[in-house]
Amino acid sequence: MLNAHLDLDPASLVGPVNRRVFGSFVEHLGRCVYDGIYEPGHPAANADGFRTDVVDLVRELGVSTVRYPGGNFVSGYRWEDGTGPRESRPSRLDLAWHSIESNEIGLDEFSRWLTLVDGELMYAVNLGTRGVQEALDVLEYANIRSGTELSNQRIANGSPQPHGIRIWCLGNEMDGPWQLGHSTAAEYAQRAAQTARAMRQVDATLELVVCGSSGAGMPTFGEWERIVLEKTYDEVDFISCHAYYEPVEGDFASFLASAVDMDRFIESVVATADHVKALRRSEKTVNVSFDEWNVWYQSRYNEVEKITDADTWPQAPRLLEDSYSVMDAVVFGGLLISLLRHADRVTAASLAQLVNVIAPIMTEPGGPAWRQTTFYPFSITSRLARGAALRVRLDSPSTPTDAYGDVQMVDAVATHDEASGATSVFLVNRSLTETVTVDIAVDRLGIESLDSVESIFDDDIHAANTLTHPDRVVPKTNTTARLHDGTVTISLPPVSWTALAMH
């Protein structure tokens, strides 16, 4: 039997857990919007055409901010196409995903949907094919109360109150050759800085996110961050990170250790941001918005799903509809652990995406909505992670991986809410074969009660939830957990994710 030890100390703080870390992402891509959140005529649709069964699941998921409308989509998007009477809105080619965009849903409708799920809008402006003026226009339309041409248009379009958007993304993945308006770091930085300064002339209190690299594997990674931040540091509050993970050639051991890569990515970006801070002798700290992250079988999209036929432009096609397994959910839970482990600097994040497209929630047109396996680590962590993240001391056996060398078999993070005394611990067993018994020292927290223990594991690590079997994988109560004399002891099965709540 393998053993690990975890020591919790309420004085060993990482930083407060910002609720924005539990954000998500809705892009006009595939069936995320159309047939996802919006399906007029569905039995569960409300008067605005929004599926209330999806609304209920999003609320259960515990999403805070929602990044919108993209994504790659935003770099060719004309925001005004999605305003005014629906019958007058133009259909456009979406070059990012080789589709037709009907513009039935735009800023006003999406803002109304957000009120149903109690979410905050993180809005991305188009710095691919557009620029400063368009960013100022959508800001005026969205946030100015009344008395100007664009604010009065919003009122006439049925939104009398301003949308009050606080956090704005300055474009999307501008380092990527696939991006409309792809540019060098210096070119993008100049455009982003000009846009940021202009937007702050409207409202100096806006929170602005500048584009970091679209992945740590990009050839310009690191240098991109340095150049962009040197030119925009005084104007922005966040720099973005994007990362997706999938098993490569059946290397499940490395896949289960994906959080190792996320840790390194975050720490590299933070180091670069702090380097620029030191060079500028600035008192301001730029934090990380990890506004795209997930398990995504991207190779499957590139090899099977990608639409390239010049004569084929479908509307709301089935794209990126990955079916997630138990193993995917365990990796996903490990990525959440990484985000919480860096709570002092990762103060916003967006799970990409929310419905149907690499999503925790799936729907069938005219039919049901259901939870994927990844739904559960997110919903449980969002519910339990309160207060501040703790810097845990972990002694764990190691497990070999081809991508990262020997890594700790057990990964963990904890949160503690001083006001209520609630403490939560999140654990992953990365081993494909070994059970690990973990002793968690909680005596310094004065823990008296073990309230819940929820785990994701299965004899079949490839088991998934589907339309015909929507509850094949659900959280299980780990009956091995015991609290005795200031120590919680729990046995973690291979390929498992676990959340413990106590006080």
Side-chain angles (χ1 to χ4, degrees), residues 314-375:
Q315 186 170 329
R318 289 181 181 262
L319 290 177
L320 283 63
E321 297 194 10
D322 288 350
S323 178
Y324 290 123
S325 67
V326 168
M327 179 169 58
D328 295 327
V330 172
V331 172
F332 182 102
L335 300 178
L336 278 167
I337 287 173
S338 177
L339 294 175
L340 290 175
R341 183 161 39 236
H342 298 93
D344 56 332
R345 300 303 295 271
V346 179
T347 54
S350 302
L351 164 64
Q353 291 187 15
L354 186 56
V355 184
N356 287 330
V357 175
I358 53 172
I361 299 168
M362 298 298 294
T363 71
E364 187 65 16
W370 68 96
R371 305 165 188 83
Q372 293 237 58
T373 60
T374 54
F375 183 99

Side-chain angles (χ1 to χ4, degrees), residues 163-483:
H163 298 311
I165 304 169
R166 304 313 311 157
I167 186 166
W168 297 74
C169 300
L170 302 173
N172 175 76
E173 293 187 354
M174 299 308 299
D175 65 322
W178 57 85
Q179 200 73 212
L180 287 172
H182 164 63
S183 52
T184 67
E187 291 167 342
Y188 165 69
Q190 181 178 17
R191 196 181 324 156
Q194 290 171 341
T195 305
R197 283 192 290 268
M199 294 178 74
R200 290 201 189 282
Q201 284 185 251
V202 177
D203 184 348
T205 68
L206 297 178
E207 299 173 70
L208 303 179
V209 184
V210 73
C211 289
S213 297
S214 51
M218 294 296 290
T220 54
F221 172 61
E223 188 68 356
W224 174 278
E225 279 75 8
R226 180 189 66 79
I227 293 170
V228 167
L229 284 173
E230 283 182 354
K231 292 182 180 292
T232 64
Y233 196 91
D234 293 338
E235 318 301 338
V236 302
D237 305 284
F238 300 88
I239 185 164
S240 70
C241 289
H242 292 179
Y244 297 100
Y245 298 94
E246 65 176 320
V248 178
E249 296 179 351
D251 183 3
F252 296 147
S254 296
F255 179 50
L256 285 162
S258 294
V260 172
D261 180 79
M262 181 180 265
D263 287 341
R264 294 173 181 173
F265 188 9
I266 293 169
E267 289 156 15
S268 295
V269 172
V270 166
T272 303
D274 288 349
H275 170 68
V276 176
K277 176 181 179 178
L279 289 177
R280 299 185 66 83
R281 292 167 173 79
S282 176
E283 295 184 359
K284 184 178 82 171
T285 297
V286 169
N287 285 325
V288 170
S289 173
F290 214 121
D291 50 39
E292 288 189 31
W293 69 272
N294 204 348
V295 172
W296 174 17
Y297 286 78
Q298 194 166 0
S299 59
R300 182 185 304 156
Y301 165 73
N302 289 325
E303 295 166 8
V304 178
E305 295 182 337
K306 194 170 186 177
I307 303 168
T308 57
D309 184 352
D311 295 324
T312 302
W313 294 87
Q315 186 170 329
R318 289 181 181 262
L319 290 177
L320 283 63
E321 297 194 10
D322 288 350
S323 178
Y324 290 123
S325 67
V326 168
M327 179 169 58
D328 295 327
V330 172
V331 172
F332 182 102
L335 300 178
L336 278 167
I337 287 173
S338 177
L339 294 175
L340 290 175
R341 183 161 39 236
H342 298 93
D344 56 332
R345 300 303 295 271
V346 179
T347 54
S350 302
L351 164 64
Q353 291 187 15
L354 186 56
V355 184
N356 287 330
V357 175
I358 53 172
I361 299 168
M362 298 298 294
T363 71
E364 187 65 16
W370 68 96
R371 305 165 188 83
Q372 293 237 58
T373 60
T374 54
F375 183 99
Y376 298 109
F378 192 102
S379 64
I380 294 168
T381 305
S382 177
R383 171 166 46 88
L384 295 182
R386 290 290 188 271
L390 301 182
R391 187 170 289 105
V392 302
R393 289 191 290 273
L394 175 62
D395 180 16
S396 166
S398 63
T399 187
T401 71
D402 289 342
Y404 312 115
D406 288 346
V407 302
Q408 287 187 312
M409 188 175 293
V410 175
D411 196 14
V413 74
T415 62
H416 176 66
D417 183 25
E418 185 176 5
S420 66
T423 298
S424 299
V425 180
F426 306 95
L427 300 154
V428 162
N429 180 1
R430 294 166 168 160
S431 175
L432 285 158
T433 58
E434 301 293 338
T435 297
V436 185
T437 298
V438 184
D439 293 324
I440 308 170
V442 297
D443 51 304
R444 277 178 281 190
L445 292 161
I447 297 299
E448 297 179 351
S449 173
L450 184 57
D451 302 324
S452 66
V453 184
E454 298 172 274
S455 295
I456 298 291
F457 62 92
D458 198 273
D459 290 340
D460 179 6
I461 63 173
H462 301 293
N465 294 337
T466 63
L467 172 63
T468 54
H469 298 286
D471 298 316
R472 167 64 180 84
V473 179
V474 297
K476 302 175 183 178
T477 299
N478 189 323
T479 58
T480 70
R482 298 287 185 273
L483 170 62

